[in-house]
Amino acid sequence: MNTYLSEQQKLSHPYYRIMELKGDELHSQLNSWSRSELIDWLCWNDRNGVYTDEDSLREFGNILSKDRAIDIITEMINEP
């Protein structure tokens, strides 16, 4: 079974498509997402991260805010 996505499939998937954006366009798109959508993306992109409310409460004693989620995603996408 082929689990790899073609370039065309990647470009049509919002999780991949967001990774092509930069600057204001990225920030605007991320702001349009709900906190839940941002956390879903973070969990998809970094399976070992601590992003869900349950994990965050257990690990840090608080939950990830929407603003912080946007900051983390922006940092991940802008990494060299």
Side-chain angles (χ1 to χ4, degrees), residues 1-54:
M1 182 171 131
N2 185 0
T3 59
Y4 295 102
L5 296 176
S6 70
E7 286 303 312
Q8 183 65 26
Q9 289 170 313
K10 284 182 181 180
L11 292 176
S12 67
H13 191 288
Y15 284 2
Y16 285 99
R17 202 170 47 233
I18 195 77
M19 295 168 72
E20 299 299 318
L21 303 177
K22 299 290 183 209
D24 290 341
E25 191 176 17
L26 173 61
H27 192 58
S28 176
Q29 183 66 40
L30 291 176
N31 273 309
S32 75
W33 287 14
S34 69
R35 179 178 165 274
S36 177
E37 290 171 317
L38 296 167
I39 290 172
D40 287 347
W41 187 92
L42 285 164
C43 292
W44 168 82
N45 188 63
D46 179 9
R47 296 189 189 278
N48 295 318
V50 178
Y51 305 111
T52 65
D53 289 353
E54 181 181 314

Side-chain angles (χ1 to χ4, degrees), residues 53-70:
D53 289 353
E54 181 181 314
D55 290 344
S56 292
L57 284 169
R58 183 176 48 247
E59 193 76 23
F60 305 118
N62 59 24
I63 60 171
L64 183 62
S65 70
K66 180 176 179 173
D67 289 337
R68 183 62 185 133
I70 290 171

